[in-house]
Amino acid sequence: MALIVQKFGGTSVADIDRIRNVARKVKKEIDLGNQVAVVVSAMSGVTDQLVGLVRQISPLSTQESREEYDAVVSSGEQVTSGLLALTLTEMGIPARSWFGWQIPLISDDAHSKARIHDIKTDDIHASLKAGKVAVVAGFQGIDGNGRISTLGRGGSDTSAVALAAALHADRCDIYTDVDGVYTADPRIVTKARKLRKVAYEEILEMASQGAKVLQTRSVEMAMNYHVRTQVLSSFSDAEGTLLVEEEEVVERRRVTGIAYSRDEARITLTSVANIPGVSAAIFGPLTDANINVDMIVQNVTEGGKETDVTFTVPRNDLDNAVKAMEKARAKIQYKTLHSDKGVAKISVIGVGMRSHVGIAQEMFKTLVEKNINILVISTSEIKISVLIAEEYTELALRSLHTSFGLDAA
């Protein structure tokens, strides 16, 4: 008997018919003699609706307001878990719903962006052994003060992989509205190809650079705890994509995939004193505000006494980031602040970069041939990212996909 964790996203449970379809997929595993824990997201569109209601009332500027935000937006997953458990029960399959606080899944108190500290599995293990399907509300936990917490957008993926790790599950199946991981977004790049296997490091870079198939923290957890994970479609029986160790990727391509993110905003601080401690003065307040900084570049003046500092933050955090910089202006002593939401990040990714040279040169050459200006560059061992004007996103994706030989035959 295997223990399988299945995760179904919002489009997979968008209405009652789709919830019944999910129940049938759960039944297939049960019929194979397996124990099953299911993690569900809110029904498609529900979380956005709940967030919209909260933001009509509060700007979420205090810890107390963020706690109430979590109390509201976590309710979407609770509804779905109850509906799926009820559907399974009506099909003659014993099941019960579990909310984050009932497991319990314990998190820190960074509300709306909480991180998991621990998962207590005794009760849910006992229920599974008793023959009941565990239907878990994803995206949520409970903090040390007993308040409901949420794990950030896409947090149900993290819930599923974390639960699979805690339960020592044999496999974690992530069901989405696509049938696997592609070399690029197939909605934009029609010649994109599905990957049969992809290394954890590659999918981690893809997720962190904007690919929407899996949430970044879930991939980190799968890699760190060696959770066997696959990405499948809720709407077909097609073979999906398996996340594997790098050694299992037989064909080392130069580039495995092209990712993009429109969830970017750029801030530039001009004429900052080029002295020790200035970087801490800039990025400390952003850390205190729970704002992630991605790309960073400094341009030192000819005399070396001043520098312009440019960095990117998530687009939804831009206003709070600007406020943090304005509040710290006396300490940073910048001359002007410029912000821009009209940018996008394009990334080429692949473990093959370790053994192939000339990737950056080819990327830059392809973009210049299309008259696309590069605003910021950042690199890692298996990734090169550039920031460009958002209007060139689709042109850049298609051009790079072709240039690196990723187009389907």
Side-chain angles (χ1 to χ4, degrees), residues 88-197:
L88 289 166
T89 301
E90 290 299 308
M91 292 170 61
I93 300 171
R96 67 151 288 185
S97 61
W98 293 81
F99 300 164
W101 63 268
Q102 292 174 314
I103 295 173
L105 187 154
I106 302 166
S107 78
D108 61 20
D109 64 354
H111 285 268
S112 79
K113 299 178 181 179
R115 301 188 74 86
I116 299 170
H117 281 180
D118 192 19
I119 300 178
K120 306 296 185 182
T121 59
D122 290 349
D123 290 344
I124 200 168
H125 254 312
S127 183
L128 288 167
K129 288 180 180 178
K132 287 188 176 182
V133 174
V135 185
V136 178
F139 176 61
Q140 62 181 253
I142 185 170
D143 72 10
N145 297 314
R147 296 305 306 267
I148 292 175
S149 57
T150 64
L151 308 180
R153 298 309 293 265
S156 291
D157 283 353
T158 304
S159 299
V161 176
L163 184 63
L167 292 172
H168 303 289
D170 295 273
R171 196 177 69 241
C172 182
D173 292 341
I174 307 291
Y175 286 88
T176 71
D177 55 354
V178 296
D179 60 354
V181 179
Y182 280 73
T183 50
D185 187 338
R187 294 168 298 183
I188 295 176
V189 182
T190 57
K191 294 182 179 180
R193 293 182 288 110
K194 185 167 67 175
L195 299 164
R196 190 173 64 87
K197 290 183 178 181

Side-chain angles (χ1 to χ4, degrees), residues 44-286:
S44 183
V46 168
T47 300
D48 287 339
Q49 181 183 17
L50 294 171
V51 170
L53 291 173
V54 171
R55 291 192 179 278
Q56 288 181 47
I57 297 172
S58 170
L60 306 178
S61 57
T62 66
Q63 175 72 6
E64 291 76 16
S65 63
R66 288 189 290 271
E67 290 174 358
E68 299 306 335
Y69 168 94
D70 281 357
V72 174
V73 301
S74 63
S75 64
E77 283 72 16
Q78 294 174 8
V79 169
T80 311
S81 61
L83 289 172
L84 178 56
L86 184 61
T87 303
L88 289 166
T89 301
E90 290 299 308
M91 292 170 61
I93 300 171
R96 67 151 288 185
S97 61
W98 293 81
F99 300 164
W101 63 268
Q102 292 174 314
I103 295 173
L105 187 154
I106 302 166
S107 78
D108 61 20
D109 64 354
H111 285 268
S112 79
K113 299 178 181 179
R115 301 188 74 86
I116 299 170
H117 281 180
D118 192 19
I119 300 178
K120 306 296 185 182
T121 59
D122 290 349
D123 290 344
I124 200 168
H125 254 312
S127 183
L128 288 167
K129 288 180 180 178
K132 287 188 176 182
V133 174
V135 185
V136 178
F139 176 61
Q140 62 181 253
I142 185 170
D143 72 10
N145 297 314
R147 296 305 306 267
I148 292 175
S149 57
T150 64
L151 308 180
R153 298 309 293 265
S156 291
D157 283 353
T158 304
S159 299
V161 176
L163 184 63
L167 292 172
H168 303 289
D170 295 273
R171 196 177 69 241
C172 182
D173 292 341
I174 307 291
Y175 286 88
T176 71
D177 55 354
V178 296
D179 60 354
V181 179
Y182 280 73
T183 50
D185 187 338
R187 294 168 298 183
I188 295 176
V189 182
T190 57
K191 294 182 179 180
R193 293 182 288 110
K194 185 167 67 175
L195 299 164
R196 190 173 64 87
K197 290 183 178 181
V198 60
Y200 287 116
E201 288 180 86
E202 291 176 323
I203 192 64
L204 179 60
E205 288 284 13
M206 288 180 184
S208 66
Q209 302 309 314
K212 304 297 184 182
V213 178
L214 288 173
Q215 199 265 357
T216 306
R217 280 191 288 166
S218 68
V219 181
E220 284 182 335
M221 203 164 292
M223 181 170 63
N224 291 338
Y225 291 94
H226 306 286
V227 177
R228 191 171 181 82
T229 305
Q230 61 179 335
V231 180
L232 305 155
S233 171
S234 298
F235 309 113
S236 76
D237 295 322
E239 181 181 1
T241 299
L242 188 64
L243 276 59
V244 299
E245 302 290 346
E246 182 180 335
E247 293 75 19
E248 294 185 52
V249 180
V250 178
E251 182 186 356
R252 300 295 179 88
R253 301 164 288 260
R254 290 188 306 157
V255 170
T256 297
I258 316 287
Y260 75 99
S261 173
R262 288 190 171 100
D263 182 29
E264 304 292 327
R266 176 177 55 155
I267 293 176
T268 298
L269 306 177
T270 67
S271 301
V272 178
N274 187 26
I275 57 175
V278 70
S279 294
I282 294 171
F283 299 112
L286 297 172

Side-chain angles (χ1 to χ4, degrees), residues 26 32 71 88 139 199 210 265 287 300 318 325 354 364:
V26 175
L32 292 172
L88 289 166
F139 176 61
T287 299
V300 181
L318 178 61
M325 292 297 93
R354 293 192 178 113
F364 302 154

Side-chain angles (χ1 to χ4, degrees), residues 343-358:
V343 294
K345 180 172 61 176
I346 308 294
S347 305
V348 297
I349 297 156
V351 293
M353 289 186 185
R354 293 192 178 113
S355 55
H356 291 84
V357 298

